[in-house]
Amino acid sequence: RTFANWIPPPLPKNHLSCTMEITNHTTKPNNNNPSNATQPTALPKIPCCLCGTLIYSNAANQCGACLAQQFDVKALLQRGPNGGDLLVHQCRQCRAFEINDTGRYEQMDMESPALLTNCLKRIPALQKTGTSGGSAAQGGGDVSNIHLMDVSWVWTEPHSMRLKLRLTVRAEVCNNAVSIQQRVVVVFMVRFKQCSDCNREFSNRTWQAIVQVRQKRDEDAKGLIAIETALSKNKAARKDVIQFTPTKNGFDFYFLGLPQAQSFSSYLSRFVAMRVKTTKKLVSSE
């Protein structure tokens, strides 16, 4: 048998052949071509200085896996305002969340966009455009310019008192010469902190003004019935009342300030004829 005139059999129809050529992003004009066309130049590969994997040349001369192990972006994102844990305050009574340590509380559903925005504003590393953390770099250098690319919720147990977010961030390392992208999970600790509205309900002497409604005639209570009916139908009129006490021949309404009490008394005067008398009394010197 001779193989001098041997011809290889044809390839099957489902066979695919692929040729890959790695080129540089920049192209140079070809002077030999009269049409002055541009042809890409090949980008050489170098071994990683730590593991020896062939990579494209960069300022750190390291592959992505080695850079991810050397620079820990999660340590910067997990750091709280004072270097501690990331905290989210929630009222135990009304279950409202505090908005960015401002003392103002709002009702937010779990894993809602409003709660997600509130948690992101509590990460100091995302609020500073030029964040730099030398402790986060295990092999030297700083991590700066952390940008949020994507965020999503991670399910946790309802009673775990923790909130988890999966962040995809991009940061610059090696003096802003190399950009890395990592996906990390950030944990928030939920701590109970009573809001101001619930605090007034369980505290004494929190009111600053009181409206005392009295009816002089004992045989007829039409005036008190009209006031009670008007307040039961209008929720906005009694929103500033922090405490209500029924007394003999009338009611006592407690308010945080004098303007709220004056507005409430003017509202009651539209339903029944009354005389308004304003007095001042020292309740406590503390």
Side-chain angles (χ1 to χ4, degrees), residues 215-230:
Q215 185 173 357
K216 299 299 182 180
R217 295 186 302 176
D218 297 337
E219 66 277 3
D220 190 4
K222 292 183 179 180
L224 298 179
I225 295 176
I227 291 176
E228 186 177 359
T229 304

Side-chain angles (χ1 to χ4, degrees), residues 11 15-21:
L11 296 176
H15 179 80
L16 297 177
S17 61
C18 179
T19 303
M20 182 175 61
E21 181 181 359

Side-chain angles (χ1 to χ4, degrees), residues 8-267:
L11 296 176
K13 295 183 179 180
N14 57 356
H15 179 80
L16 297 177
S17 61
C18 179
T19 303
M20 182 175 61
E21 181 181 359
I22 302 174
T23 59
N24 194 359
H25 295 284
T26 60
T27 59
K28 297 181 180 180
N30 189 2
N31 297 327
N32 298 327
N33 193 346
S35 62
N36 199 15
T38 59
Q39 294 182 357
T41 59
L43 182 66
K45 287 187 176 182
I46 63 172
C48 176
C49 62
L50 296 180
C51 63
T53 305
L54 291 178
I55 59 171
Y56 297 110
S57 177
N58 54 46
N61 293 331
Q62 299 179 16
C63 63
C66 294
L67 284 174
Q69 295 177 1
Q70 185 176 0
F71 296 94
D72 188 9
V73 183
K74 182 178 180 180
L76 286 177
L77 298 174
Q78 193 64 50
R79 187 183 305 169
N82 299 325
D85 297 332
L86 296 174
L87 300 179
V88 175
H89 294 117
Q90 185 182 22
C91 181
R92 186 194 296 267
Q93 182 69 18
C94 62
R95 296 297 178 177
F97 288 92
E98 186 180 11
I99 302 178
N100 201 16
D101 295 334
T102 57
R104 188 164 57 93
Y105 286 75
E106 287 187 3
Q107 294 289 340
M108 302 179 187
D109 297 332
M110 298 299 295
E111 299 186 2
S112 62
L115 184 58
L116 179 63
T117 304
N118 188 26
C119 293
L120 292 178
K121 290 182 179 180
R122 292 178 175 271
I123 303 178
L126 296 179
Q127 309 306 321
K128 302 177 182 179
T129 56
T131 304
S132 177
S135 61
Q138 302 175 0
D142 294 334
V143 178
S144 60
N145 298 333
I146 301 178
H147 300 283
L148 180 64
M149 308 302 295
D150 188 20
V151 60
S152 61
W153 286 102
V154 178
W155 185 85
T156 55
E157 288 288 342
H159 303 288
S160 63
M161 301 298 293
R162 287 172 175 82
L163 300 175
K164 293 184 179 181
L165 296 179
R166 181 179 289 109
L167 306 179
T168 302
V169 295
R170 180 175 297 175
E172 297 181 359
V173 298
C174 299
N175 297 326
N176 300 335
V178 180
S179 297
I180 61 174
Q181 181 171 323
Q182 292 186 6
R183 179 177 295 179
V184 299
V185 176
V186 179
V187 182
F188 291 84
M189 308 297 294
V190 180
R191 294 291 181 265
F192 287 132
K193 182 179 179 182
Q194 197 173 39
C195 64
S196 57
D197 295 337
C198 296
N199 188 21
R200 287 192 293 266
E201 296 180 1
F202 297 97
S203 302
N204 296 326
R205 300 296 177 89
T206 57
W207 54 270
Q208 300 295 330
I210 179 175
V211 176
Q212 296 177 331
V213 181
R214 299 291 185 270
Q215 185 173 357
K216 299 299 182 180
R217 295 186 302 176
D218 297 337
E219 66 277 3
D220 190 4
K222 292 183 179 180
L224 298 179
I225 295 176
I227 291 176
E228 186 177 359
T229 304
L231 293 178
S232 62
K233 295 181 179 180
N234 194 347
K235 184 178 181 181
R238 61 179 189 272
K239 65 177 181 178
D240 296 329
V241 180
I242 62 175
Q243 189 176 354
F244 166 77
T245 303
T247 59
K248 184 179 180 180
N249 299 328
F251 308 102
D252 290 343
F253 301 93
Y254 298 88
F255 300 88
L256 288 178
L258 183 60
Q260 293 86 351
Q262 293 176 346
S263 177
F264 182 77
S265 61
S266 63
Y267 171 77

